Amino acid sequence: MDVTGNVLTEMGTARELHVLAVDDSHVDRKVIERLLKISSCKVTVVESGTRALQYLGLDGENSSIDFDSLKVNLIMTDYSMPEMTGYELLKKIKQESSVFREIPVVVMSSENILTRIDSCLEEGAEDFLLKPVKLSDVKRLTDFMRGEGKIAEKQSPKRRQSDNCTPSLSTMFSLTSYHRNITSPELLPSLSPSASPSKKSRVSKKIELC
Amino acid sequence: MDVMVQLQRQLFDYTASLFHEGFLDEQFNQLQQLQDESNPDFVVEVVTLFFEDAERLLNELTNALSQENIDFRRLDAHVHQLKGSSSSIGAQRIHTVCISFRNSCEEQNVEGCLKSLQQVKHEYSTVKSKLETLFKVRRSGPFLVRVLICNIEMTYGETDFGCRGVSVLGSVI
C-alpha cells in the first residue's frame, strides 16, 4: 500500500491512520493528541523536529529503519519551535529521496503570516492550519487522508460549504486554513485578492469566513 | 432536589459568566467537547498543564526583565509561548495581554513590557482561581455540604473566602 494517504484496503475498510505530531508546547501536544485520537487515529507525539527525524529514522543514526513497522501516514508539525522550525522539518522530509517525502506534512501556526504560509505550501506542505486547531480541522484532514476527500474533490465547493464552522472571536474574519488540494479552476475567483501572485497554479487558498 | 437544580443553574450561570466577561473563549468549549467518559478529566489535565507552563513562563519573564541588559528576543520568545498556550485553552484575557506585550518587546519598550507583565500576572491569577472554582464545583458529587460551599464561592466570587471556607469545612467533613 502506498503511504501517502490511500489507506483503504482492497476490501474498502479504512485502516488506522498513524499520525506523527510535532510540537514544543506541552499543552498543544496534549490537545492535538486528543483531537487525533477522537478522530480514530493512532498518534505519536514528539516535542521537536529532531525527535521527529529520529522517530522516522532520518537522523542519519539509523538508516536501516524498517519504515513498514512505523507506517506514518501524516505528519502534523508546529511552525515555531526552538532549534528546528516546522518549516525546516518540512524541508528535511521533502528532501528525502524515498517514501518519506511522500508523507503529507501539515504545518500549524498561531500566526497568520502570508509569507510563512506561502513558503510552507511552496515547500510541499499539504495544508497549513491556524492554531488553535479545532476538531473540524482535524476531521477534515483525516477524512481527506482516508480517501473521502478524493471522492469529495469533485464536489469540493459543496463539501467546503458544509464544513462545520463554529464562530469564534479569534478566527472570525481571519484565514483559518489553506489547502494544497487540486481544485477546479472555477474556484479560483473565490480567492482573496491578496493571494500571492507567485503561487504555483495548482495551489489554492480558501478563506473560511465563519 | 430543588437545591440541586438551583445549584446546577448557578454552575451554568457561573460558567456562562466566565465567557461573558471574556475570561474564556470558544476554544474552552472546544476542549470540553473533547472530554467524554473515556477521558473524563481531559479539561482539568490540559488546564493543569497550562498552569504549569504559565507559571514557568511568568518566572522566566520576570527574570528576563530584571536583567541589566534585557534580551528582548528571548523575552518575546517566552511571551509567544504564553500567548500560544493561553490561546490553546481559551484563556482569552491572557492571550490579549500577550499581544500588547509582544508589541512592547518589538519596540524594546521596557516600561510597556513591565506593565504588560504586571497585567498578565494579574489576569493569570484571576483566571486560575476562577477555573479552580469551576473544577471544584464540577468535581463535587451529590454531597450537599460540599456543593453548598461551592455555592458560597460562586455567589460571592471571593476566592479567599471560598478557599478558607472549603478548607475549614473540608476538615469538618
Side-chain angles (χ1 to χ4, degrees):
Chain A
M1 76 150 204
D2 75 277
V3 301
T4 52
N6 190 4
V7 290
L8 295 173
T9 63
E10 283 175 9
M11 301 290 281
T13 51
R15 295 268 302 274
E16 198 179 37
L17 269 182
H18 181 190
V19 183
L20 175 64
V22 193
D23 202 315
D24 62 313
S25 159
H26 203 168
V27 173
D28 290 348
R29 281 201 299 277
K30 182 138 178 106
V31 175
I32 195 73
E33 181 187 43
R34 184 78 189 122
L35 287 171
L36 288 166
K37 283 196 168 151
I38 275 197
S39 309
S40 313
C41 297
K42 176 180 167 190
V43 193
T44 302
V45 199
V46 295
E47 65 197 12
S48 69
T50 309
R51 286 255 181 272
L53 292 172
Q54 275 171 10
Y55 183 79
L56 294 167
L58 294 174
D59 57 341
E61 296 278 330
N62 187 4
S63 51
S64 62
I65 196 119
D66 176 19
F67 180 74
D68 270 356
S69 63
L70 287 181
K71 281 202 178 92
V72 171
N73 306 115
L74 171 68
I75 296 168
M76 293 183 75
T77 178
D78 185 28
Y79 183 95
S80 313
M81 298 188 289
E83 288 165 24
M84 188 190 303
T85 66
Y87 176 72
E88 285 157 358
L89 175 63
L90 166 69
K91 273 182 35 172
K92 284 200 154 62
I93 291 166
K94 292 303 174 185
Q95 274 160 15
E96 286 291 315
S97 54
S98 60
V99 285
F100 293 99
R101 76 192 262 174
E102 296 299 313
I103 310 173
V105 180
V106 170
V107 182
M108 308 175 282
S109 175
S110 57
E111 293 177 297
N112 190 5
I113 298 170
L114 227 50
T115 48
R116 170 183 294 188
I117 296 162
D118 276 356
S119 15
C120 286
L121 294 177
E122 300 248 342
E123 203 56 47
E126 185 68 34
D127 204 342
F128 189 99
L129 300 177
L130 221 51
K131 282 179 157 184
V133 176
K134 302 205 282 282
L135 189 57
S136 54
D137 295 323
V138 174
K139 283 223 136 80
R140 179 173 50 73
L141 208 53
T142 53
D143 284 350
F144 175 72
M145 294 290 305
R146 290 188 174 110
E148 282 149 70
K150 293 191 163 58
I151 300 159
E153 254 176 64
K154 290 171 194 157
Q155 324 159 351
S156 45
K158 213 163 74 170
R159 185 168 80 90
R160 284 167 181 182
Q161 275 163 32
S162 68
D163 266 358
N164 195 14
C165 240
T166 41
S168 80
L169 290 170
S170 56
T171 59
M172 219 178 289
F173 303 118
S174 74
L175 305 157
T176 55
S177 73
Y178 295 84
H179 302 265
R180 202 171 63 88
N181 299 339
I182 298 159
T183 58
S184 53
E186 55 262 35
L187 281 178
L188 292 175
S190 70
L191 293 179
S192 154
S194 62
S196 163
S198 62
K199 280 228 118 333
K200 292 178 191 164
S201 57
R202 68 191 178 103
V203 178
S204 72
K205 286 190 198 176
K206 175 178 78 87
I207 299 162
E208 286 176 15
L209 289 175
C210 302
Chain B
M1 282 188 91
D2 196 28
V3 185
M4 286 307 293
V5 169
Q6 214 181 38
L7 290 162
Q8 268 182 344
R9 180 62 205 271
Q10 280 194 308
L11 170 60
F12 180 81
D13 288 347
Y14 186 72
T15 314
S17 75
L18 294 182
F19 284 91
H20 185 71
E21 287 162 30
F23 288 104
L24 299 176
D25 66 26
E26 174 57 28
Q27 180 60 17
F28 191 78
N29 268 335
Q30 289 278 319
L31 292 186
Q32 292 189 112
Q33 282 174 37
L34 299 180
Q35 185 163 291
D36 60 21
E37 313 81 48
S38 68
N39 263 264
D41 298 316
F42 177 70
V43 181
V44 178
E45 286 168 7
V46 180
V47 172
T48 305
L49 284 176
F50 168 71
F51 289 159
E52 287 168 10
D53 229 21
E55 270 154 43
R56 176 184 58 85
L57 288 167
L58 288 174
N59 282 333
E60 300 267 14
L61 289 169
T62 309
N63 239 322
L65 273 171
S66 64
Q67 301 298 315
E68 272 277 326
N69 294 313
I70 296 171
D71 183 349
F72 285 99
R73 250 181 19 127
R74 197 168 141 249
L75 203 61
D76 182 69
H78 290 317
V79 180
H80 173 76
Q81 281 187 14
L82 184 59
K83 177 168 154 278
S85 52
S86 60
S87 159
S88 295
I89 67 145
Q92 192 180 65
R93 287 200 187 184
I94 297 176
H95 182 248
T96 306
V97 178
C98 285
I99 294 172
S100 54
F101 201 157
R102 285 198 86 188
N103 288 335
S104 294
C105 290
E106 238 171 287
E107 295 160 10
Q108 306 213 348
N109 174 0
V110 181
E111 277 298 305
C113 285
L114 287 168
K115 189 171 167 224
S116 287
L117 178 61
Q118 199 182 27
Q119 268 181 309
V120 84
K121 279 178 170 173
H122 171 74
E123 292 298 346
Y124 172 69
S125 75
T126 309
V127 82
K128 182 169 191 239
S129 66
K130 286 187 184 287
L131 285 171
E132 283 174 337
T133 302
L134 192 65
F135 296 145
K136 243 185 284 178
V137 176
R138 287 177 175 179
R139 252 206 317 274
S140 307
F143 303 109
L144 199 61
V145 182
R146 263 206 267 164
V147 163
L148 284 171
I149 294 163
C150 297
N151 180 25
I152 294 164
E153 278 188 23
M154 285 192 294
T155 311
Y156 292 96
E158 294 299 319
T159 52
D160 277 346
F161 175 84
C163 285
R164 271 203 299 272
V166 168
S167 58
V168 165
L169 284 162
S171 58
V172 169
I173 297 165

